[in-house]
Each structure stands twice: as structure tokens, then as C-alpha cells.
Amino acid sequence: MAAKLIKGAEVAAQIREELKKEVEELKAKHNLVPGLVTILVGQDPGSISYVTAKQKTSHELGFYSIQDNQEPDITEAALLALLDKYNKDPKIHGILVQLPLPKHIDSNKVLYGINPDKDVDAFHPVNVGRILIGNYAFLPCTPAGCQELIYRAYGDPKGKEVVVVGRSNIVGKPMVAIMLQKRVGANATVTCVHTGTPKDKMIEHCRRADILIVAAGVPNYIQADWVKEGVCVIDVGVNRIGMTESGKAKLAGDVDFAAVSEKASFITPVPGGVGPMTITMLMKNTVMAAKMAAGLVKL
Amino acid sequence: MAAKLIKGAEVAAQIREELKKEVEELKAKHNLVPGLVTILVGQDPGSISYVTAKQKTSHELGFYSIQDNQEPDITEAALLALLDKYNKDPKIHGILVQLPLPKHIDSNKVLYGINPDKDVDAFHPVNVGRILIGNYAFLPCTPAGCQELIYRAYGDPKGKEVVVVGRSNIVGKPMVAIMLQKRVGANATVTCVHTGTPKDKMIEHCRRADILIVAAGVPNYIQADWVKEGVCVIDVGVNRIGMTESGKAKLAGDVDFAAVSEKASFITPVPGGVGPMTITMLMKNTVMAAKMAAGLVKL
């Protein structure tokens, strides 16, 4: 294999070390303890495992951390009232509502009920707007993780050709907004291709890319003859393509890993690439939110 | 000259005719009269002429319309209080604060003090976020004007190669966000080139463009050998390059018009292209804001 593997868990561990030191400094110098509440509605096993992992990491980093469990029949009004309590709580700097929510609750209404300065998932329109404007404190966790992987493995994308495959609100569109800013870790020429792009153009664009970020949701979509030698490939796809013999989900990315990794200079594996970064980016956002609340960072 | 001229004044007049009919219908069917307040601080001659033109157009369209003049020494707090009055006024659907504001006032604080649902300039982060998310009621006037010119002259940009030159918050970045949405008048493959793009790549991208939208702020920047035959060129540049003999400002766009128009299929002149569209788009936004307030349009 020609490409160097970008191992998300290793980069994430490095960032958590940096955050741990920063949290110690914030405590020592400013008596500031980042506070995170994760709100879980119901008992979905997947959701429980996600919030448990988030709580575990926030404890390890020395945060003030609350796991708030709510019954699945909580009303939308009661959930909004709960958010309001945390919006006003000066010890809480980050509020995360674990998705999905039960069907009787309007998820957007709930997400938009979080104080934008505590919206560490960065899904609130105010935060999306701040990102496009280029004056932001934190970024949605998945594209932020992609940016860190690129910057720390491949180097500064400044002046490079970045091609983003996909235009979801969770990955593709914020990724475009992030990479075209005049900031360190960005300042790239950015092209976004998507389901509206004709196939021949899709392939042409992928072939031009110095950095190819793929969030298409189609297993093994990107072929080896679609990429140029030396490309840096960030594969955001997580597709279930069957079961392993032991009954676990078998995962594939959006990139034909075996073939593409022969041509790429850097590539993220699936699993083990982008995935392990997201919780760490949530922690980074919470530290940033705490610093904003304390006036140590200003927008 | 090969290219057809896209005459902004003509397209704008057509849209105003459509709006006039819509306003009459809203009055007749829903007893709804779109209301716009334009707030002018001080007596800058340029600003006076802009707000006068906005007021004239809104009267012509049958709006409820207020011109609110404030002394140049108004405090920021008093201006915010004034906004709050209009934010709460059910007869007012659109609030426009004419820029620039005096130096003792923080423009962003004022713009962000407008209720986003009445922010017909669409500069508030909530509206910028809504645009990138793709769930919006109105768009900033200049890129919205560009989109209308493309759609009505060239046709639907769906699946076309759009290249945006420039990444300002007023034109380039919202233009990118608009054109990549899965919506009528958009759904294009979008590339954004800017000051961080190496010159050779800049030229390569411009040469690929089916639709080239230029907001670089550099007179005659785009050369004829940078474009392909048949390109549709939208020139957002308004550069003062001297004086005419009668003492008026001599204007040039960002595109070498004489040479590029020999190759393009459509091109906007400067002046007379994008410029005449902006006030009309502000009116369109005000009608949309009124419909939102009345529950006739929902986000």
C-alpha cells in the first residue's frame, strides 16, 4: 500500500492530551471548569452508547459533566424548558441533545432552542451562519474532525484543490464553508460536487483534487481511476454492507479503499478514520464555549 | 459582439411587475400590506440617494413604507431601541438600516439587532445559516439578483459548472451557498476561487465555467483567454476607474467586457447589469417577509 493511513484514534488522542493541559490551565489561571450536559431522551441502545462515550471523555478531560436522562414520553415543551434551564446555568457551557428524538418532538425546534453559544454540535442556524461568515468559535464535529486530520497529517490545505463530494448539512456544506475561509487550516480552492453533478464531471473533479473529502453515503463509490497520484483522501462514509461472522455490522466507506490507497498519499480507513475524531471535537468545542463564556475568546 | 447583454434594469422591471400583482393579491385575498422601514442615520448624500430609491420603489409597489431619519449622533443604544420598536411592529415586515453607520456605532451589533424574520438584507447570521442549510425565505440582495439574472437569461443552472470568483460575505460566499442547493435556480456544481487560489489554477477554473460569477473587486480582472466560448458571465464588480469629462465617476466591472463579450453567450454590462437588480430583490424579500409573518410561507 502506497498511502499513509490517517488514524483518527491517534490524532484524537493527541488532541485530547492538548485539551487536558488546556483544561488544567483554565482551572489554575481562571478558575474555569468547562461544563457539558448530554441530554438523552429514551433508552435507544445506540444513543446510550454514544452519550456514555461522551460522558466518559468529558470526565477524563476534567470537565464538569452531567448526564441528564429523560423519559421517552417527555413533552416538547418540557424538553424546551429543560434546555432553558441549562441555557441559563453558568456552570454549563455546552449542551448536547442526543439524536434521534422521539417522533412526537420536533428535532429542529429543540436544536434551535439551545443557546447558540452553548450549541457545541454547531447545528443552530446562528452557528452555521457564523461559519460561512468566517467568524466562529466552533464547528460541527464531523467536518471539524476532517479539517484536523487534513491539517495534522497532510498539512495546511492553503492554495490546494479541495473537492467535497456531497452536500449534506452535517458534512458537505459546512465542509465547503470551512475550507474556503481565509484562515489557517483552510484557504483552499473548494469545489462541491453532489447528486446534481453529471457523472463525467464528478469524475473530472475528483481527479483534480489534491484533497478529496467524501461524504456521499454510497459504499465504495470513489474508484481508483477517479483520483490522482498523491491525493489525500478523507472518507466520511459509514455504510453497513452486511454482517461479520460474529454478528457485528460490516462497515465500508464511500471510497474503494484497497484500490484508492494504492494511489493516495494519505487516506483515512473506515472504520478508524474520521469516526474516532467526533467526540474529541465535541470536547474541543466545549472548551471553546467555556472560554467564550468567560470572555477569554471573543467573536 | 457575440454575447447577449443581460440588462438588469429590464429584468428588474419584469420582477417588479410580478411583485406588484402579488402585492395586489395579498391585499385583496389576505388584507396583507407588506411594510418596509428604511432607517437612515446622518445625511451622507450617497446613503440618502439609496434610501430614497428604496422608498420610491416600495411606494410604487403599494407597500406600507416608512423613511426613518435619525441624527448622526444617535447612540447605539437608542438605535437598538428603535430597531426593537420596529421588530415588534406588526405592520413592518422588513427593516433596512442603511450602511455605512457612524463610527461610534458597531454596525454588526445593529444588524444583528434586527429580528431575523425582518432582516430583508439577509446579513444576520441566522439568515446566513438558513441559506447554507437550504431552508430560507430570502437571500442577500446582490447574490439573489445574480441568481435571477442567470435563471431568467441563461436558464436553470442545474448540473452546470458554476465558478464564483471572490469570497466576500456580501457576494461570493452566499453565492456559493445559494448555487449548490438542491433547488430550482441552483443545483449546480460550484467552485469558489479567491485570493488564496494560485493564478494558474484561477485561470483553469474560470476556463471550465459554464457560468462565471465575478466579485473580485479588481477592474478588468477576467481576460478573454480565461473564459470558454459560450460562457455566461455575471460581473458583480463596480470599480471607479476615473472621472468622465462631465465629472461623473467612470465605472468598470471585474471583467474585460469588450474582449470577453466576444466569447460569452451572455454577459452583464457594468453599469446596468447586476446593479439595477438589488433594490428589486429587497422588495421581493419584503413581500416574502410579509408572507412569512402572515403564515402564508413557512420555513
Side-chain angles (χ1 to χ4, degrees):
Chain A
M1 177 163 32
K4 283 188 193 163
L5 276 188
I6 305 179
K7 292 177 183 165
E10 286 178 13
V11 178
Q14 186 187 338
I15 295 172
R16 284 199 303 276
E17 277 311 304
E18 294 165 14
L19 286 175
K20 210 169 170 177
K21 276 183 199 144
E22 191 172 3
V23 171
E24 282 164 14
E25 272 184 32
L26 289 173
K27 279 185 200 177
K29 284 192 191 162
H30 302 282
N31 197 27
L32 178 65
V33 180
L36 175 70
V37 58
T38 50
I39 300 173
L40 174 67
V41 178
Q43 286 94 28
D44 175 73
S47 295
I48 290 175
S49 110
Y50 280 125
V51 293
T52 304
K54 288 166 187 173
Q55 280 296 319
K56 183 170 170 280
T57 309
S58 67
H59 280 294
E60 283 167 5
L61 294 181
F63 289 10
Y64 167 68
S65 196
I66 297 176
Q67 172 56 37
D68 189 325
N69 295 314
Q70 295 292 327
E71 294 298 323
D73 61 354
I74 185 173
T75 62
E76 189 178 278
L79 189 52
L80 289 170
L82 185 70
L83 288 180
D84 200 46
K85 184 185 87 171
Y86 290 120
N87 281 340
K88 289 173 181 156
D89 183 344
K91 289 172 78 179
I92 292 295
H93 307 106
I95 301 173
L96 182 124
V97 179
Q98 185 65 44
L99 298 180
L101 288 171
K103 283 183 184 168
H104 68 280
I105 295 175
D106 180 342
S107 296
N108 274 353
K109 208 167 164 186
V110 170
L111 293 181
Y112 298 178
I114 300 172
N115 175 346
D117 291 345
K118 299 190 177 189
D119 167 43
V120 283
D121 254 344
F123 290 151
H124 194 291
V126 166
N127 285 320
V128 177
R130 285 171 175 169
I131 293 163
L132 191 61
I133 291 167
N135 184 24
Y136 55 78
F138 36 75
L139 299 171
C141 299
T142 300
C146 295
Q147 186 185 32
E148 287 282 357
L149 291 178
I150 293 165
Y151 188 72
R152 289 172 187 248
Y154 174 87
D156 198 338
K158 179 183 173 183
K160 299 291 179 184
E161 295 288 318
V162 168
V163 176
V164 177
V165 182
R167 58 178 161 183
S168 71
N169 281 317
I170 295 178
V171 186
K173 286 191 273 183
M175 200 76 243
V176 168
I178 292 165
M179 297 309 285
L180 61 76
Q181 302 298 332
K182 194 172 189 171
R183 291 172 75 123
V184 172
N187 208 2
T189 301
V190 183
T191 299
C192 183
V193 292
H194 46 68
T195 51
T197 303
K199 186 78 172 261
D200 59 331
K201 292 289 173 186
M202 171 78 74
I203 296 171
E204 273 178 34
H205 282 295
C206 290
R207 281 187 183 145
R208 292 194 297 100
D210 297 317
I211 300 166
L212 185 63
I213 304 167
V214 191
V218 181
N220 300 315
Y221 182 59
I222 304 292
Q223 304 294 309
D225 64 341
W226 294 26
V227 302
K228 74 174 179 191
E229 287 284 341
V231 63
C232 171
V233 178
I234 306 293
D235 187 349
V236 189
V238 184
N239 306 290
R240 290 174 190 229
I241 53 164
M243 287 287 209
T244 62
E245 283 185 15
S246 57
K248 282 194 174 177
K250 205 172 165 185
L251 299 178
D254 290 347
V255 175
D256 180 353
F257 181 84
V260 170
S261 61
E262 294 293 329
K263 290 177 82 177
S265 61
F266 295 90
I267 190 166
T268 57
V270 177
V274 175
M277 290 290 288
T278 52
I279 290 180
T280 297
M281 299 321 292
L282 181 75
M283 301 301 135
K284 191 175 173 185
N285 285 349
T286 305
V287 172
M288 194 53 117
K291 287 161 74 178
M292 274 217 297
L296 300 173
V297 165
K298 284 200 172 87
L299 285 191
Chain B
M1 175 163 33
K4 283 188 192 163
L5 274 188
I6 305 179
K7 291 176 185 168
E10 287 178 12
V11 177
Q14 185 187 337
I15 296 172
R16 284 198 303 276
E17 277 310 304
E18 295 165 14
L19 286 175
K20 211 169 170 177
K21 276 182 199 146
E22 191 172 3
V23 171
E24 283 165 12
E25 272 184 33
L26 289 172
K27 279 184 198 178
K29 285 191 191 163
H30 301 282
N31 198 26
L32 178 64
V33 180
L36 175 69
V37 59
T38 50
I39 300 173
L40 174 66
V41 177
Q43 285 95 26
D44 175 72
S47 295
I48 290 175
S49 109
Y50 280 124
V51 293
T52 304
K54 289 166 186 172
Q55 280 296 319
K56 183 169 170 281
T57 310
S58 66
H59 280 294
E60 283 166 5
L61 294 181
F63 289 9
Y64 168 66
S65 195
I66 296 175
Q67 172 55 38
D68 189 324
N69 295 314
Q70 296 292 329
E71 295 298 324
D73 61 353
I74 185 174
T75 63
E76 189 178 278
L79 188 54
L80 289 170
L82 186 70
L83 289 180
D84 199 46
K85 185 184 84 170
Y86 290 120
N87 281 341
K88 288 174 181 155
D89 184 344
K91 290 172 77 179
I92 292 295
H93 307 106
I95 301 172
L96 182 124
V97 179
Q98 185 64 44
L99 298 180
L101 289 170
K103 284 183 183 167
H104 68 281
I105 295 175
D106 180 343
S107 295
N108 273 353
K109 208 167 165 187
V110 170
L111 294 180
Y112 298 177
I114 300 172
N115 175 348
D117 291 344
K118 299 190 177 189
D119 166 43
V120 283
D121 254 345
F123 291 151
H124 193 293
V126 166
N127 285 320
V128 177
R130 285 171 174 169
I131 293 164
L132 191 62
I133 291 167
N135 185 24
Y136 55 79
F138 34 75
L139 299 171
C141 298
T142 299
C146 296
Q147 185 186 31
E148 288 280 359
L149 291 178
I150 293 164
Y151 188 71
R152 290 172 186 249
Y154 173 87
D156 197 338
K158 179 183 172 181
K160 299 290 180 184
E161 295 289 318
V162 168
V163 175
V164 176
V165 182
R167 58 177 160 182
S168 71
N169 280 318
I170 295 178
V171 186
K173 286 192 271 182
M175 200 77 243
V176 168
I178 292 165
M179 296 310 284
L180 62 75
Q181 302 298 331
K182 195 172 188 171
R183 292 173 74 124
V184 172
N187 208 4
T189 301
V190 184
T191 300
C192 184
V193 293
H194 46 69
T195 51
T197 303
K199 185 79 171 260
D200 59 331
K201 292 290 173 184
M202 170 79 74
I203 296 171
E204 274 179 34
H205 283 295
C206 290
R207 280 188 183 146
R208 292 194 299 98
D210 298 315
I211 300 166
L212 185 63
I213 304 168
V214 190
V218 181
N220 301 314
Y221 182 60
I222 304 292
Q223 303 294 310
D225 63 341
W226 293 25
V227 302
K228 74 174 178 190
E229 287 284 340
V231 63
C232 172
V233 178
I234 306 294
D235 186 350
V236 189
V238 184
N239 306 290
R240 290 173 189 228
I241 53 163
M243 288 285 209
T244 62
E245 283 185 14
S246 57
K248 281 194 174 176
K250 205 172 166 185
L251 299 178
D254 290 348
V255 175
D256 180 354
F257 180 84
V260 170
S261 61
E262 295 293 329
K263 291 177 82 178
S265 60
F266 295 90
I267 190 166
T268 57
V270 176
V274 175
M277 290 290 289
T278 51
I279 290 180
T280 297
M281 299 320 293
L282 181 74
M283 301 301 136
K284 191 176 173 185
N285 285 349
T286 305
V287 171
M288 194 54 117
K291 287 160 74 177
M292 275 217 297
L296 300 172
V297 166
K298 285 200 172 85
L299 285 192

